[in-house]
Amino acid sequence: MTSPRGRFAPSPTGRLHFGSLVAALGSWLFARSAGATWIVRMEDIDRGREVPGAAEAILATLAAFGLASDEPVVRQSARTPLYAAALARLERDGHAYRCWCSRSELEPFDGIHPPACVAPVRDRPPAWRLRVGSATVGFTDRVLGAQEQDLRRDVGDFVVWRADGACAYQLAVVVDDAAQGIGEVVRGADLLDSTPRQILLQRLLGLPQPAYAHLPLALGPEGRKLSKHEAALAVDARDPLPALGAALRFLGQPAPTERNVHMLLSRAAREFDPARIPRTAGMPPAFAAARNATSRG
């Protein structure tokens, strides 16, 4: 029996910051500690949000931190035919339907799409939604334990193909994880709410369900999640050891004292214990060092 393959799937909307480093390192540790392959997938399907040069900068920073992909990096923007085939299957089996509902029309329903559309057919391209029916999806997270979501009550019929012609995140990630043989999805807890939707899609498409582990979020000084949208400073690829040590401590792991990136990571993988990972978000240790960025030219 082979060990489950792992992956890190960043979006090229900015440079790698500390919160993204935690997700990358956590997924790498889960894979490496099990002797598994770890790959990077660039989730660049939303071209309108892509920052020029960000994908290359992310990959270069990961490499400087010793987190290079074991296989060639796959880009979602080159995989539209795979997503279109999955949508066609969902439509054929009666699970997906065209929808012209706008956000304002869904406001009376708290933004949750009901079982039937509330907008008429319009003279513009539709989105495609998945029928969730009465599905309640549960799973056991390797960090957070038992999880369950009533999709009809909490999510409603959700978009799997956008009106602008792009595949939506939920469908793309399910197709990609199956195609790349990902057996364990390790990512930030901000995506925990997406997992039941993805499990439902896996079931409807007859795809294997990976294991899941959702890592605690890194918070900034004001108690909000560090994000590229809030201009979190990028980690410094020229001096990776401070941020690597801070990321390990943030994940509840001992920070090795080795002064070589690859030796440090090798020891960290040997000593990795998922049971030490905190279950709640928190402030990174030594916050200034964790962000690990300076104004040097």
Side-chain angles (χ1 to χ4, degrees), residues 50-117:
E50 183 173 351
V51 174
E56 292 73 19
I58 289 171
L59 295 175
T61 302
L62 288 172
F65 276 76
L67 304 173
S69 179
D70 293 328
E71 297 176 1
V73 174
V74 166
R75 296 174 184 261
Q76 283 187 331
S77 56
R79 299 167 69 79
T80 299
L82 285 176
Y83 310 144
L87 175 64
R89 177 171 178 178
L90 292 171
E91 179 190 11
R92 181 198 69 196
D93 294 343
H95 301 306
Y97 62 91
R98 294 178 178 86
C99 173
W100 285 267
C101 295
S102 67
R103 290 184 180 180
S104 61
E105 287 166 325
L106 294 177
E107 284 181 1
F109 304 91
D110 295 324
I112 295 177
H113 196 285
C117 285

Side-chain angles (χ1 to χ4, degrees), residues 22-284:
V22 167
L25 178 62
S27 63
W28 186 91
L29 287 169
F30 268 92
R32 279 294 186 271
S33 64
T37 298
W38 183 79
I39 62 176
V40 176
R41 178 174 72 232
M42 195 61 60
E43 297 196 335
D44 61 349
I45 199 167
D46 191 346
R47 307 312 294 268
R49 295 177 58 235
E50 183 173 351
V51 174
E56 292 73 19
I58 289 171
L59 295 175
T61 302
L62 288 172
F65 276 76
L67 304 173
S69 179
D70 293 328
E71 297 176 1
V73 174
V74 166
R75 296 174 184 261
Q76 283 187 331
S77 56
R79 299 167 69 79
T80 299
L82 285 176
Y83 310 144
L87 175 64
R89 177 171 178 178
L90 292 171
E91 179 190 11
R92 181 198 69 196
D93 294 343
H95 301 306
Y97 62 91
R98 294 178 178 86
C99 173
W100 285 267
C101 295
S102 67
R103 290 184 180 180
S104 61
E105 287 166 325
L106 294 177
E107 284 181 1
F109 304 91
D110 295 324
I112 295 177
H113 196 285
C117 285
V118 297
V121 173
R122 293 183 167 121
D123 187 20
R124 59 176 171 79
W128 286 83
R129 290 185 182 270
L130 190 81
R131 302 182 196 277
V132 301
S134 58
T136 295
V137 174
F139 67 100
T140 301
D141 189 270
R142 288 197 61 187
V143 174
L144 300 175
Q147 305 291 318
E148 186 175 86
Q149 186 179 72
D150 182 330
L151 287 169
R152 181 171 182 174
R153 181 193 65 203
D154 299 336
V155 176
D157 291 356
F158 59 92
V159 173
V160 291
W161 200 275
R162 297 178 354 204
D164 63 4
C167 182
Y169 165 76
Q170 306 294 354
L171 179 59
V173 72
V174 163
V175 171
D176 287 337
D177 283 343
Q180 294 184 285
I182 302 303
E184 189 165 54
V185 173
V186 182
R187 57 193 181 187
D190 54 327
L191 291 169
L192 179 66
D193 183 64
S194 290
T195 305
R197 280 172 274 179
Q198 294 168 15
I199 291 174
L200 178 60
L201 279 166
Q202 290 156 2
R203 293 173 180 172
L204 296 177
L205 291 168
L207 301 176
Q209 179 182 323
Y212 288 93
H214 288 85
L215 306 174
L217 298 180
L219 305 179
E222 297 178 356
R224 295 188 300 181
K225 171 196 166 188
L226 285 178
S227 74
K228 287 173 276 191
H229 301 295
E230 295 182 354
L233 292 176
V235 292
D236 190 350
R238 297 166 294 185
D239 185 21
L241 288 172
L244 274 176
L248 284 166
R249 291 191 294 275
F250 184 79
L251 289 170
Q253 309 301 309
T257 58
E258 281 82 356
R259 305 307 298 171
N260 173 282
V261 166
H262 296 286
M263 292 176 64
L264 183 150
L265 288 174
S266 178
R267 181 174 173 184
R270 292 195 304 270
E271 298 178 350
F272 178 61
D273 181 1
R276 295 194 188 112
I277 297 175
R279 295 168 63 96
T280 57
M283 186 83 73

